[in-house]
Amino acid sequence: ASVSDADFNERCVQCSEVNWGLTDGGRFYCRSCHNVTERTREVVNTDFISNTRVQTISKVLRKQEKTDGGCEWYVCEGFQLVLKKQAEALEALGVCPQMKDEILCNFWRCYLQKSKQAYCNRPAGETVKALSVCDSSTDADSELERPSLLHMLSVSESEGDLQTDCSFASSTSKVSESTSLCSGSVDGSLYLMKNQKEKLRMTMPMTLSFCYMALLWLREPMTLSDLLRFVVEGHIPYLNVFQHFPEKMKLCGLDLKIFCVESWPVYEEVYNKMLELAAFLDLPRFPDITDSCFLHPDMLCIKYLMEANLPDELHNWTCRVVKKICIGEVDFLTLVPGNKSTRKVKYDVLAAAVIVVTTFCVLHISFTSSQPKMCMFYSGGPYFEFKKWYKVIKCSLDVEQKKLDEERAKYLWRCEKPLFYSAKKKSKVLKRRRMVVNLQNQFGKLSGSVQPAEKPNPSSFQLSWYEENTDGSCFHGHSLKGILQEKCGLLTAMNPDYWLCTVKLCTEKLCGHLAHYREVDFPQSYHFVLRLFSFLLRIQPSYIHDEVCVIEHKLFNKKLCKKPKYKTTLRK
Amino acid sequence: MASSHEHKLNFKKSKEVCLNYIQDAMLQKQWKRAAEFLTFYIESLEKDFSTAYMGPSEMIWRIGTEILCHHSHSSMKQFNSFIEQMKTVGVKRYLKVCLEHAFHLLCNGLIDEAYQNLSLAESWRFGEQTAIQDKEMKLIQAYRGLLDYYSWSKQKDILLEHGQNGFEDLSVEQEMHSCFRKAAMNLKEIIKIPGVWDLFVKCYVDLLEFYGDHNEACQVLNEYAYNSKFPANPNAHVYLYQFLKRHGESKKSLISALKILHDIVPSHELMIDFNTMLQKSKKRKKRQLGLEVIFAALDYAGWKENVKAWSCLARQVKQIVISEKHLDWIKQEWNSRKDWWPAFHFSRYLAKRNWQENESLSYEKALVAGILLGKDCKYFKYVSHQGCKAQVKRFRILKKFVNKHSPVYLRISGLSDSSVQP
């Protein structure tokens, strides 16, 4: 490990040289004569990283104290801190410690190396001198060099939401072309300035891509939709994570644009970034997803069937579907980064789609399909009736959806730690913050005895159904006999009718979708089941529909190529 | 681009959604719930840079005011402290907030506080904003003038009371005059601007009258009523009329004052006075106008049971019939009404009801009905029969009268082909 010269200037007692290095134990040793001293270095950056083996910046001079008590820090250090916090949170949720200590660390290190931010001879930040920090004023000469503030904001490709924060500055102080760029970090402006597409610039949503990638590598029982849900529920630091930065790391100006989040992560975005990242890091084939893995469709189907309160018997059928279209194969499920030919697997969406396909395509379940005339309670148990199931689920779903909608309306985006664009704005921002807190208190008192919304306990299951309940609301044990009939020794669906979602799939490249979902084209039952899974996975119904179409296509491909017989009725 | 819009939640969207919840709660008068959601909306203030028509700070001001007005646990003190905060938030709205604050205080009877607020606001200066918010400033001055008038009025009452008791109170008198000066100055200014300033005009005129400046008062009222830049305002004409009447002006000027009122609001209560004056006029045209006026007033449902109005019409109709001159006036008025007045005023049901409830009303109406619809019409038949049965003298006279003049009906209704009498 190298050490900066400024830290320790004394001459070596043995050889009188000033050429120090650091041992692993953190002690200074003379590089010339290998004399080890008792002096230990106050490692500046142990505040930032968990692992003293990792030092992100090698050669740039560091000043410990500045006028405002801050220190120099680089953007990637900030992200490192974020990742650390996220990893800790995941560990608290039960993810194995290996994720934090090994996998994520190594991925990060690899990323830093590949993007030339550290671990290489010339870190990208080296050529950039520390640009003006919050409280320094502009130099007349260097004004021309600095690109305009507004220009930079437009070039940046991160969300435009923070534009408004910056326009705070502009609206109140009429930013001119020559306003100084400002960031607490050393390379904040550089970060936003260059078109760093090739180097895969780090963003907040990308931290989640990192996390998911690590989870996937370890084959942890957490899907991407689970992860994102935990983020939104506040169990994993994301919004306002900069609160946890140490005091010395001052955030201001452009740092806000990098680290402040003003929208929730989008599934597609995080997923696609993860793929990009995996390819960028030149990762090898990920560990195999076998049929004993949580992420395998057979396993995930169990979970989702339980959550959706569907009969356990359905699982036999989902497994058959999975087998028939070969989506349970190891090679299909395992991620191979960079391989553009294979379609990437979204495990959660896939499992949900399998269930949907099984329910509708295979078993032709609908509102009218299961109507046994006789009493259903023979040979040990009730028959599954879609109508009844629909009533029960709709009730719960509506309640949960309502709760979710209200929670969304009540999100608080701001936190205690104030954000200000520059030191000039600081007093204004603080004043505003005080007023906001005052008003919140005032109206909070008028809210009546409303308890502050507590974070719900993290749970993998959002809906639970218990067989012990005597109200008959649990359908797990129900039999599918009511919808199946035996013909020639085989069980088939009683209801002969089925609509086909789509005869031909669209091309993804053209419009981003494989199919187009319009509610009016499909029966209420289909729409409802999509809505259920859309709620559970927190994604648009159309995503699931896309996947359903793909599976359907795989199932009926041969049949579609032939002329349609009277058996397969096409609805549209 | 495939993006989950519904599930994509950002700051802006979540605040929009929050706002919807607030508005729903307010519409259902659930003030606690509204306050709860407002608590979560408030942080929008920290991102109040929108160029939207109504930004977060204005939303919070308006919603907060509404909630504090209606919530059972809110106090005036809380309200004041809230408003003071709102004043600091949007400088472009400063005077507006001050003005509405003053209104609120007035509505709660806190006149002194309102006055203080207005005075404070009047002295506010903020660069170019002062010029931009000129309108609001004028309003503030006007309302302060109004409160000065109110003080003046109180002082005047005290003075008069003391005067009655034989006291002389110099300080009160001086106070009163100073209030007058302040009030007059501000009130005069605001009524120069085209608009509806009823209360201000009234107060100003009151001041002028007290101090004997009738000319100025008259001028003010004339301006208010006749200046085409000002929006059409029935009250302006009413005030002018009342002023002229107070000062014993000629009938001619009184009539001209009411003429436009008739045009704007034919159903105005002063139409009775108007008709009475016109009926008595020597000029033919004026008398005809009188008939027009009273017919027009009775077109309105609110006048259906107004005995005075009917008696005016009855009197005039009777007079015309007896003189046998100007039947064409009646014909003209009746032409556009003969299709619907019978059902509107002279149904058998109304005949019964009027007779039961108000004999005088039925009498007047019967006269009119008898002339306009003839002696065989339902209304007249029923009422006159009842009246005669009850042996009320005037009904017998009425019956005779209508019978005597029954050919008139024919002429009015156009059934006879004989030419109308000049």
Side-chain angles (χ1 to χ4, degrees):
Chain A
S2 61
V3 81
S4 52
D5 301 332
D7 281 353
F8 193 44
N9 279 330
E10 286 185 36
R11 292 189 176 275
C12 170
V13 288
Q14 266 184 244
C15 66
S16 308
E17 290 279 309
V18 183
N19 187 5
W20 299 102
L22 256 191
T23 66
D24 278 1
R27 294 220 194 116
F28 290 108
Y29 74 96
C30 178
R31 284 205 198 98
S32 314
C33 66
H34 297 279
N35 168 38
V36 182
T37 70
E38 295 300 301
R39 284 284 283 272
T40 51
R41 181 189 177 206
E42 291 164 32
V43 182
V44 172
N45 46 9
T46 44
D47 290 339
F48 307 149
I49 49 174
S50 57
N51 198 327
T52 51
R53 283 180 295 162
V54 178
Q55 288 186 38
T56 57
I57 306 305
S58 51
K59 285 192 179 136
V60 182
L61 287 172
R62 277 180 170 280
K63 290 181 217 160
Q64 260 271 41
E65 297 291 321
K66 283 227 195 86
T67 47
D68 60 350
C71 68
E72 285 183 7
W73 58 278
Y74 285 78
V75 168
C76 56
E77 286 179 82
F79 277 116
Q80 192 163 307
L81 203 61
V82 170
L83 282 172
K84 179 189 168 216
K85 287 284 167 201
Q86 290 173 338
E88 281 169 2
L90 282 166
E91 199 180 324
L93 285 176
V95 170
C96 70
Q98 204 187 0
M99 186 205 158
K100 182 185 99 181
D101 297 333
E102 251 183 62
I103 310 295
L104 194 58
C105 241
N106 287 333
F107 281 162
W108 178 244
R109 239 179 286 168
C110 186
Y111 167 78
L112 286 174
Q113 204 164 30
K114 289 242 189 269
S115 60
K116 302 201 191 307
Q117 286 176 75
Y119 297 104
C120 51
N121 289 328
R122 285 194 333 129
E126 196 191 34
T127 52
V128 179
K129 278 186 270 187
L131 293 175
S132 64
V133 193
C134 302
D135 50 3
S136 67
S137 50
T138 55
D139 278 328
D141 336 329
S142 37
E143 253 175 43
L144 295 164
E145 292 171 2
R146 296 183 186 136
S148 81
L149 169 70
L150 300 167
H151 168 72
M152 270 189 39
L153 294 174
S154 54
V155 157
S156 147
E157 54 181 36
S158 58
E159 285 141 6
D161 301 352
L162 273 174
Q163 195 95 5
T164 46
D165 257 337
C166 302
S167 42
F168 183 158
S170 61
S171 68
T172 50
S173 64
K174 296 201 170 62
V175 162
S176 60
E177 292 288 299
S178 57
T179 306
S180 67
L181 304 169
C182 163
S183 64
S185 63
V186 173
D187 58 342
S189 48
L190 178 73
Y191 220 77
L192 291 173
M193 197 158 35
K194 281 200 210 156
N195 181 0
Q196 305 216 357
K197 257 193 182 141
E198 329 85 359
K199 289 191 193 170
L200 209 67
R201 190 185 63 205
M202 191 66 186
T203 61
M204 278 305 289
M206 219 159 106
T207 60
L208 298 176
S209 304
F210 265 97
C211 289
Y212 180 59
M213 199 166 66
L215 289 170
L216 185 58
W217 186 274
L218 289 166
R219 297 174 293 183
E220 284 285 330
M222 192 186 289
T223 61
L224 180 54
S225 54
D226 287 334
L227 174 68
L228 295 180
R229 185 166 55 85
F230 290 144
V231 168
V232 168
E233 286 175 1
H235 304 298
I236 297 177
Y238 184 73
L239 184 76
N240 299 329
V241 69
F242 55 82
Q243 280 181 103
H244 305 296
F245 286 7
E247 226 5 79
K248 289 183 203 159
M249 269 171 87
K250 301 281 180 197
L251 245 90
C252 74
L254 298 165
D255 301 329
L256 307 188
K257 210 154 167 50
I258 302 168
F259 288 104
C260 292
V261 163
E262 297 232 325
S263 66
W264 289 124
V266 174
Y267 188 106
E268 278 287 285
E269 198 188 317
V270 175
Y271 181 77
N272 289 336
K273 251 327 175 205
M274 191 268 300
L275 297 177
E276 235 183 288
L277 196 56
F280 178 73
L281 299 180
D282 272 329
L283 293 178
R285 179 186 163 109
F286 272 52
D288 287 346
I289 306 284
T290 61
D291 52 16
S292 57
C293 282
F294 176 79
L295 295 173
H296 191 277
D298 287 340
M299 297 292 271
L300 267 181
C301 277
I302 298 179
K303 183 195 180 233
Y304 290 149
L305 284 170
M306 277 179 73
E307 213 169 358
N309 201 11
L310 288 165
D312 297 338
E313 263 185 47
L314 258 174
H315 188 245
N316 301 333
W317 292 90
T318 61
C319 288
R320 284 170 69 176
V321 168
V322 166
K323 194 160 175 202
K324 176 126 177 114
I325 55 176
C326 307
I327 56 171
E329 311 276 299
V330 174
D331 292 330
F332 175 80
L333 292 170
T334 308
L335 177 65
V336 181
N339 185 350
K340 294 224 168 115
S341 58
T342 56
R343 189 154 183 270
K344 305 304 178 200
V345 182
K346 296 174 190 159
Y347 306 99
D348 34 25
V349 185
L350 182 67
V354 166
I355 296 177
V356 172
V357 166
T358 312
T359 312
F360 293 105
C361 312
V362 177
L363 298 174
H364 301 179
I365 290 177
S366 73
F367 278 113
T368 52
S369 67
S370 48
Q371 284 179 333
K373 306 264 191 313
M374 295 175 358
C375 170
M376 299 171 298
F377 282 85
Y378 68 95
S379 68
Y383 284 5
F384 176 72
E385 270 187 86
F386 188 77
K387 232 188 219 165
K388 279 198 183 152
W389 175 85
Y390 169 81
K391 281 193 188 131
V392 170
I393 301 294
K394 183 168 186 341
C395 201
S396 299
L397 185 59
D398 286 345
V399 167
E400 293 302 313
Q401 185 73 56
K402 186 163 178 249
K403 262 195 243 167
L404 183 65
D405 291 339
E406 279 199 23
E407 269 165 36
R408 281 186 178 149
K410 291 185 187 175
Y411 277 143
L412 281 178
W413 298 81
R414 294 285 162 149
C415 64
E416 291 312 309
K417 187 162 175 172
L419 304 169
F420 32 87
Y421 192 74
S422 68
K424 277 184 275 180
K425 304 284 170 272
K426 186 173 178 180
S427 60
K428 244 185 187 140
V429 168
L430 287 175
K431 201 170 145 201
R432 266 284 150 112
R433 181 78 207 153
R434 264 200 305 273
M435 181 189 297
V436 164
V437 171
N438 271 340
L439 289 171
Q440 283 173 334
N441 285 335
Q442 182 173 21
F443 286 98
K445 287 195 193 118
L446 293 176
S447 306
S449 55
V450 172
Q451 299 296 333
E454 284 159 15
K455 267 198 292 194
N457 281 330
S459 157
S460 194
F461 282 81
Q462 296 175 71
L463 300 171
S464 333
W465 314 93
Y466 304 102
E467 301 235 20
E468 299 79 40
N469 281 357
T470 48
D471 57 0
S473 61
C474 179
F475 291 76
H476 294 156
H478 285 215
S479 159
L480 292 178
K481 287 211 179 78
I483 29 179
L484 296 170
Q485 59 186 0
E486 237 189 84
K487 263 188 185 170
C488 319
L490 291 171
L491 283 172
T492 51
M494 249 197 267
N495 181 6
D497 293 323
Y498 171 65
W499 74 89
L500 198 63
C501 284
T502 176
V503 177
K504 190 178 170 202
L505 294 175
C506 226
T507 345
E508 212 158 8
K509 283 183 195 151
L510 277 177
C511 59
H513 288 281
L514 286 163
H516 299 273
Y517 177 56
R518 288 190 317 171
E519 271 171 49
V520 293
D521 295 339
F522 297 96
Q524 274 296 325
S525 48
Y526 182 70
H527 175 54
F528 179 74
V529 174
L530 278 195
R531 188 187 141 206
L532 173 63
F533 283 108
S534 162
F535 169 79
L536 290 174
L537 301 182
R538 302 281 199 274
I539 56 176
Q540 280 283 77
S542 52
Y543 277 12
I544 308 175
H545 178 72
D546 277 6
E547 202 68 36
V548 165
C549 291
V550 169
I551 295 178
E552 209 187 39
H553 204 79
K554 284 188 183 158
L555 260 183
F556 297 124
N557 198 17
K558 290 187 194 144
K559 284 211 173 107
L560 286 172
C561 294
K562 292 186 198 162
K563 278 197 191 143
K565 292 183 185 168
Y566 70 91
K567 255 196 291 179
T568 337
T569 51
L570 299 171
R571 215 208 229 181
K572 276 178 71 173
Chain B
M1 250 307 285
S3 60
S4 40
H5 289 299
E6 255 176 38
H7 297 260
K8 179 181 172 85
L9 192 69
N10 58 14
F11 186 98
K12 188 170 154 211
K13 185 93 202 292
S14 86
K15 291 312 166 199
E16 270 170 30
V17 170
C18 188
L19 206 57
N20 286 336
Y21 277 95
I22 297 175
Q23 289 169 342
D24 275 342
M26 281 170 69
L27 282 170
Q28 296 175 47
K29 305 201 193 288
Q30 294 169 337
W31 304 110
K32 285 203 177 119
R33 191 169 151 87
E36 187 195 340
F37 279 95
L38 183 61
T39 315
F40 296 105
Y41 181 77
I42 282 169
E43 60 172 10
S44 307
L45 274 180
E46 291 179 283
K47 283 191 68 76
D48 189 2
F49 327 112
S50 59
T51 46
Y53 171 65
M54 204 180 260
S57 58
E58 182 155 3
M59 286 294 219
I60 292 171
W61 166 45
R62 293 226 181 263
I63 293 172
T65 305
E66 209 52 34
I67 293 176
L68 288 170
C69 278
H70 293 101
H71 198 288
S72 45
H73 293 319
S74 84
S75 65
M76 206 56 213
K77 191 168 156 213
Q78 270 188 335
F79 184 84
N80 286 335
S81 121
F82 170 70
I83 292 291
E84 290 305 324
Q85 284 179 304
M86 290 296 102
K87 283 179 190 171
T88 64
V89 163
V91 76
K92 288 186 189 159
R93 226 178 297 120
Y94 180 80
L95 287 180
K96 209 195 274 191
V97 178
C98 285
L99 194 57
E100 297 218 4
H101 187 198
F103 291 158
H104 191 89
L105 291 167
L106 285 173
C107 289
N108 281 281
L110 299 165
I111 301 179
D112 291 332
E113 281 85 346
Y115 192 85
Q116 275 164 26
N117 258 289
L118 289 171
S119 303
L120 206 67
E122 223 182 317
S123 61
W124 181 74
R125 298 284 178 272
F126 200 94
E128 61 180 22
Q129 280 298 322
T130 326
I132 294 172
Q133 296 184 46
D134 176 57
K135 282 202 183 103
E136 285 87 348
M137 185 57 94
K138 284 220 157 55
L139 280 173
I140 287 176
Q141 288 166 333
Y143 276 96
R144 214 206 63 180
L146 206 60
L147 292 180
D148 282 323
Y149 167 83
Y150 180 71
S151 301
W152 171 86
S153 182
K154 276 200 294 188
Q155 305 290 356
K156 184 184 77 165
D157 291 339
I158 294 174
L159 209 62
L160 287 174
E161 205 185 290
H162 286 186
Q164 279 177 349
N165 298 339
F167 296 143
E168 258 198 29
D169 205 330
L170 254 167
S171 67
V172 171
E173 207 177 317
Q174 275 177 347
E175 178 78 33
M176 190 182 97
H177 292 320
S178 124
C179 283
F180 159 71
R181 276 191 291 275
K182 285 190 278 184
M185 186 173 72
N186 283 323
L187 291 173
K188 184 172 181 181
E189 278 309 304
I190 197 73
I191 59 182
K192 278 188 195 161
I193 305 172
V196 178
W197 307 114
D198 288 354
L199 188 60
F200 300 92
V201 166
K202 272 179 96 170
C203 297
Y204 187 46
V205 165
D206 190 26
L207 287 172
L208 291 170
E209 280 191 280
F210 183 84
Y211 286 93
D213 195 349
H214 302 312
N215 282 336
E216 175 73 11
C218 194
Q219 201 171 347
V220 163
L221 287 169
N222 269 291
E223 260 294 292
Y224 195 52
Y226 296 120
N227 188 339
S228 55
K229 289 202 193 123
F230 282 69
N233 184 355
N235 292 333
H237 301 276
V238 173
Y239 297 156
L240 179 59
Y241 169 77
Q242 287 169 340
F243 175 82
L244 295 170
K245 197 166 171 196
R246 273 201 298 277
H247 294 276
E249 296 291 326
S250 66
K251 280 274 185 310
K252 188 171 169 203
S253 51
L254 290 176
I255 284 174
S256 92
L258 286 179
K259 189 143 195 310
I260 300 186
L261 185 61
H262 161 68
D263 289 332
I264 310 175
V265 190
S267 58
H268 199 277
E269 60 183 0
L270 282 174
M271 291 302 108
I272 291 183
D273 290 16
F274 196 31
N275 167 268
T276 310
M277 278 192 286
L278 288 168
Q279 268 193 50
K280 293 188 193 148
S281 169
K282 293 205 174 77
K283 298 238 172 86
R284 208 190 320 150
K285 277 223 169 97
K286 294 247 158 61
R287 294 201 302 276
Q288 185 178 17
L289 177 63
L291 191 67
E292 219 180 280
V293 163
I294 196 66
F295 260 107
L298 285 166
D299 279 340
Y300 291 86
W303 288 81
K304 272 171 105 166
E305 307 198 339
N306 190 315
V307 182
K308 194 97 208 304
W310 282 105
S311 85
C312 283
L313 179 58
R315 181 169 62 236
Q316 197 161 11
V317 161
K318 190 171 174 186
Q319 195 266 326
I320 289 173
V321 163
I322 290 173
S323 72
E324 296 196 358
K325 281 190 199 168
H326 309 303
L327 281 169
D328 56 317
W329 291 355
I330 301 183
K331 185 170 179 190
Q332 194 176 333
E333 292 305 318
W334 186 235
N335 230 354
S336 58
R337 292 176 171 94
K338 63 180 183 235
D339 293 325
W340 61 282
W341 265 44
F344 191 55
H345 286 305
F346 303 125
S347 66
R348 191 174 152 79
Y349 167 75
L350 277 171
K352 273 188 174 167
R353 214 180 82 184
N354 293 155
W355 169 252
Q356 274 168 3
E357 290 174 4
N358 194 336
E359 194 194 286
S360 300
L361 177 68
S362 64
Y363 171 80
E364 304 292 346
K365 280 178 76 174
L367 195 150
V368 176
I371 299 295
L372 295 175
L373 292 169
K375 63 180 165 51
D376 293 323
C377 82
K378 292 177 268 190
Y379 196 92
F380 176 75
K381 261 176 112 168
Y382 180 85
V383 170
S384 60
H385 176 74
Q386 294 292 325
C388 293
K389 207 167 78 177
Q391 295 187 339
V392 181
K393 187 173 172 193
R394 57 178 173 168
F395 283 94
R396 258 190 293 133
I397 300 174
L398 172 67
K399 200 167 180 179
K400 273 192 207 157
F401 177 80
V402 171
N403 281 329
K404 180 176 168 194
H405 293 280
S406 57
V408 165
Y409 150 67
L410 295 169
R411 257 184 263 153
I412 290 172
S413 63
L415 284 175
S416 88
D417 53 15
S418 55
S419 58
V420 290
Q421 278 196 355

